[in-house]
Amino acid sequence: MALNAKIFKFALNIADLDRHYYADHALTVARHPSETNERMMVRLLAFALHASETLEFGRGISTDDEPTLWDKDLTGQIKLWIDVGLPDERIIRRACGRAQKVIVYGYGGRGADMWWNANEKALARNENLIVKLISYDISKALAAMADRSATTLQCTIQDGSVWMDDGKERVEIAFV
């Protein structure tokens, strides 16, 4: 018997003072059975950080040929490719060849540090790549915000600082 994805509904309010982007997004997010709340919330954070009218979620965790999120122009050219987690270096290299800009949001504490140490030299060759690591404490605090019912989240971005607030907890996001 196949496991079904769990559905989460989020009302995401984004106030990005750095980009002058202010919007409310009603998002229905399907969490793959093998995906954790931690990864799902990092996906949501990545969406908030790069939100636009053309930013879309990819098909999911089980596909290597699509990112977690992407933004395409009207011709279908990939402007932005965003992956969440610790993708294989070959996948990132392929993405850098297909997209104008690639961003990887890594998380997982010590595992993310080990992944970075193992891949840093190879990844440094890609000029259109940015890698941002999220500390274990922050990714776990984000995971605690996940709720199966309608959840309201506020993401505020100002002067390079990022805060995520669910009305109960406020988490400041710091990247390495």
Side-chain angles (χ1 to χ4, degrees), residues 95-151:
C96 288
R98 293 179 60 194
Q100 294 172 11
K101 183 177 183 180
V102 176
I103 301 175
V104 174
Y105 287 97
Y107 66 93
R110 186 177 164 98
D113 293 337
M114 290 170 42
W115 172 83
W116 176 246
N117 290 336
N119 292 289
E120 180 180 11
K121 287 182 183 172
L123 296 177
R125 291 185 223 134
N126 301 297
E127 293 180 11
N128 59 338
L129 173 66
I130 297 170
V131 176
K132 296 183 178 190
L133 299 179
I134 300 169
S135 77
Y136 179 76
D137 293 339
I138 292 172
S139 64
K140 286 299 180 187
L142 287 172
M145 291 181 173
D147 187 328
R148 295 266 335 257
S149 62
T151 300

Side-chain angles (χ1 to χ4, degrees), residues 21-34:
Y21 180 86
Y22 310 94
D24 291 319
H25 295 271
L27 299 173
T28 301
V29 179
R31 193 187 83 198
H32 190 274
S34 67

Side-chain angles (χ1 to χ4, degrees), residues 59-80:
R59 283 189 291 175
I61 198 168
S62 59
T63 57
D64 287 343
D65 61 334
E66 279 190 18
T68 303
L69 295 157
W70 55 4
D71 197 346
K72 298 179 186 177
D73 65 17
L74 296 175
T75 67
Q77 176 70 26
I78 304 169
K79 298 186 299 186
L80 178 62

